Amino acid sequence: MSKPLIGISTYLESARWGVWELPAALLPAGYPRLVRAAGGLAAMLPPDDDPAAAAEVVARLDGLVIAGGADVEPVLYGAEPSPRTGPPARDRDAWELALIDAALTSGTPLLGICRGLQLLNVALGGTLVQHLEGHTGGRGVFGEHTVEPVPGTLYASLVPEASSVPAYHHQCVDRLAPSLVASAHADDGTVEAAELPGGGWVLGVQWHPEMGRDLRVAEGLVRAAACLPVANGA
């Protein structure tokens, strides 16, 4: 049986390599490594100038990961930007919102990581805390903290025990979208995972599984993706 194809959204940044400094579609290597280790094939999905292309892209995939990265622009959830909120990444916001909509519409399994959870929450009508203390290991350093699963949730079926996770986030869920349910919390009450019950395989996690050794969340995505009918041109 062929491995499921998992698309991963990317950054769009200026980057330097060799003699070049050019706009680039970037993705930390941990993301495709995580997908491959979980049994999938990884494909990078750079922001498209036409978000309407998202439905066609998602139709070729068996699963989707919305990666971490820049802060979600506060105007998308009706808030004024805090002085500690980073500059907007409007092209990426528009593209990833379109990818999320396409995945939800088509029933394509979806995993949101850090920003991916936050954007999923915003897409479905939730809001964000624009700055959160104590969830990093310092500037540019991943920290660790414990998350506690909520019994009876999809996440708890994958990781039933409290576990230590790699974290680097200064934003998080504030008001949870009405259609989502929280499926894990940090000790301080922060929503660390949320999911869409009854809507297929849709899960967002606040931490960075691509920086750790626990493959269970990614394996859950890949298993769900492998169960899709053979469509998507495969």
Side-chain angles (χ1 to χ4, degrees):
M1 186 175 68
S2 60
K3 296 179 179 179
L5 180 63
I6 309 297
I8 312 168
S9 66
T10 74
Y11 298 60
L12 186 62
E13 303 283 351
S14 178
R16 179 179 296 175
W17 65 97
V19 298
W20 304 104
E21 185 170 358
L22 294 168
L26 299 176
L27 187 66
Y31 289 98
R33 209 162 38 223
L34 176 70
V35 166
R36 291 194 298 265
L41 299 174
M44 293 172 59
L45 307 177
D48 195 297
D49 291 338
D50 179 14
E56 186 174 358
V57 169
V58 170
R60 308 288 184 92
L61 302 173
D62 299 309
L64 174 65
V65 174
I66 302 297
D71 293 342
V72 178
E73 187 172 19
V75 68
L76 294 173
Y77 50 95
E80 292 292 325
S82 157
R84 303 186 78 167
T85 295
R90 294 189 178 104
D91 289 345
R92 187 174 175 191
D93 284 347
W95 174 240
E96 291 181 342
L97 284 168
L99 288 174
I100 289 170
D101 180 68
L104 295 177
T105 298
S106 64
T108 302
L110 168 63
L111 172 63
I113 294 177
C114 195
R115 165 188 162 89
L117 164 62
Q118 296 159 17
L119 200 59
L120 173 65
N121 187 53
V122 168
L124 294 175
T127 65
L128 303 179
V129 174
Q130 293 190 48
H131 183 72
L132 177 70
E133 296 285 355
H135 284 251
T136 76
R139 183 176 175 82
V141 178
F142 283 88
E144 285 198 4
H145 64 254
T146 299
V147 299
E148 182 76 39
V150 175
T153 60
L154 168 63
Y155 174 69
S157 74
L158 301 170
V159 185
E161 79 284 359
S163 59
S164 183
V165 297
Y168 193 91
H169 44 276
H170 85 103
Q171 297 200 326
C172 67
V173 169
D174 183 10
R175 186 182 72 246
L176 192 64
S179 56
L180 294 175
V181 298
S183 46
H185 295 91
D187 290 343
D188 64 2
T190 299
V191 173
E192 288 285 337
E195 60 194 58
L196 186 64
W201 203 100
V202 179
L203 175 65
V205 297
Q206 181 67 58
W207 65 90
H208 286 267
E210 82 283 2
M211 297 303 298
R213 296 182 179 179
D214 192 336
L215 299 177
R216 287 176 289 180
V217 167
E219 287 173 340
L221 170 70
V222 169
R223 284 195 301 270
C227 289
L228 284 178
V230 180
N232 304 347

